[in-house]
Amino acid sequence: MSMDNAANGSAAPRYGSTSTSIVSRLSLCPTKAGMGGVDKTKTNAVILKMSRGSKFYENELRKEEKTKARVAVMVTKANALRDETIKQMTTTISLSSFERQRDLSRWIVHCDADAFYAAVEIRDNPHLRGKPIGIGGNSMLSTASYEARKFGVRSAMPGYIAKQLCPELIFVRPRYAAYREASAKMQAVMAAYDPDFKAVSLDEAYLDLTAYVQQLSPEAIQQLPLDDSRHPVERVVHEMRTKIHESTRLTVSAGIACNRMLAKIGSDQNKPNGQWFLNNNPDDIRKFMADLPVRKLPGIGKVTERVLQELHIKKCEDVVEQRGLLKLLFSPTSFTFFLTSALGIRSNDTHTKHARKSISTERTFRAISAPAELEAKCRQLCTALAEELATKQIRGKCITLKLKAVDFEVKQRSQTLPSYVNDAATLFRSAHHLLQRELSAAAGAGRPLALRLMGVRLGQLYTQGDRPKSAKSIKSFFRSTSQKHHIDYNDDNGDNDDND
């Protein structure tokens, strides 16, 4: 092809030939643990059939149109680039400069409990063992057991679709107090190996075991499980996972590597109840990354995957080869993210304490429109949030109420309080005020407020013992003085599909 073909339109476009539709949005995610043996064609057909005509389907259609528009813009830009321009840009990008950022000095572990909510229910209800169960109900599932996943049932799937895929599926109501208790026991074991471990959810955490392994004496290493052909860190992780099982009767899978990203990818390699080790060797890391699908990279979801596919980028090795094209099309931040991720280069710091911006809790439920029921849900959420705030000794000033309607429209309403709070009564008083405004607005429009999800978030935080920030930037000063009321209305239709 001549270098000018793309520019003058004398040849077929090089990018954008992938055929996609709404099916790609609704289809089974092939990278999910436990889905390997699923008949994807049959499963996707059922999902499409059961979704068509529903509010969920209509919302996915709206998202699909936005995705197509985003993809079309990127494809148009790519086809307007000349081959020579892309080649020249590729030659200017030195991989060695990125390689110098690679830190191989640490052992980072990502622990991920296996089907956590479902596993707790099976542990506490032995009659459920070996049966397909889904935590949730007909409206939505929060997780599914591995027995259910064999039929294509997964988390964030409407229960009525899951039932069609697996008629024997048993719905189990979630018990969040039991999950928090099990999580606390798991984290107590982890703390013995890394007191500064970083929990990112109830069932997931990062540990830096470098110091722990380095201080082990030869005698202590000999006492570790597994034979001495295995690296000491592998043996330590196996010991830790065994202790977690002894304490909780739950299994945890783990990934061991030189940074957080690789460890997280690795924890999914041998699920359930397994561990995976990647040696701290650049050649081993590059070899592993080369064939890895880009969708496996943390931070890349359905939409970004679609964009990259239209650019003929499906694996990490494609990212490296097409780095010139990516540099020309994306922002410097996005380009750096793509290339460093594809090379297996990422932060390995699990201990840095970043300032937390907010803390929240939310629940998905069957469609509810009765004001009394909605108020009860709001109170439950505020109580749960207050318990977590008290445990972490955190207070905040900005309360946000998140509402997802039955047509999947998402709204967020916020109110800033005059002082820092963390008690359930104050949280509920503010959140209830915001909810009442929405109930009144819906009544005035002649339609009930029918919801399927509600969440409460507290922002502008400070931890007890710290001094709350009182100084304002010039920008925030003018913003605050220009607003008569401290109630913020933000309509968010939830179209960021990369957070899945």
Side-chain angles (χ1 to χ4, degrees), residues 145-157:
S145 66
Y146 283 95
E147 290 79 7
R149 294 183 189 187
K150 294 175 183 177
F151 295 88
V153 178
R154 56 172 173 77
S155 60
M157 171 179 279

Side-chain angles (χ1 to χ4, degrees), residues 70 295 298-305 495-500:
R70 176 178 168 185
R295 182 63 186 276
I300 292 186
K302 289 183 289 190
V303 175
T304 303
E305 181 189 30
D495 291 322
N496 184 0
D497 289 316
D498 286 344
N499 295 324
D500 60 350

Side-chain angles (χ1 to χ4, degrees), residues 99 402 445 474:
E99 285 291 342
K402 178 181 178 181
I474 293 177

Side-chain angles (χ1 to χ4, degrees), residues 14 25 31 38 61 81 101 119 122 145 166 215 223 261 276 288 297 338 394 417 472 481 486 500:
R14 296 161 296 173
R25 294 196 64 86
T31 63
V38 176
L61 282 176
L81 294 170
Q101 302 174 32
I122 293 170
S145 66
C166 179
Q215 59 84 35
Q223 297 300 315
M261 182 193 73
W276 177 87
F288 168 73
L297 295 173
F338 288 138
I394 292 176
L417 302 178
K472 294 184 178 180
T481 55
H486 292 276
D500 60 350

Side-chain angles (χ1 to χ4, degrees), residues 132-134 141 144-145 148 153 159 162-163 166-171:
I133 72 169
L141 301 181
S145 66
V153 178
K163 268 286 192 181
C166 179
E168 296 78 25
L169 183 70
I170 301 171
F171 289 147

Side-chain angles (χ1 to χ4, degrees), residues 27-51:
S27 62
L28 193 71
C29 177
T31 63
K32 188 71 175 175
M35 300 289 193
V38 176
D39 184 339
K40 296 179 178 60
T41 301
K42 178 182 177 181
T43 300
N44 290 339
V46 172
I47 293 173
L48 182 62
K49 177 183 176 182
M50 295 298 296
S51 300

Side-chain angles (χ1 to χ4, degrees), residues 112-115 119 186 241 244-245 248-253 272-273:
D112 189 9
D114 301 313
M186 287 194 301
R241 291 174 49 241
I244 289 175
H245 183 262
T248 66
R249 290 186 289 133
L250 301 171
T251 62
V252 170
S253 295
N273 195 23

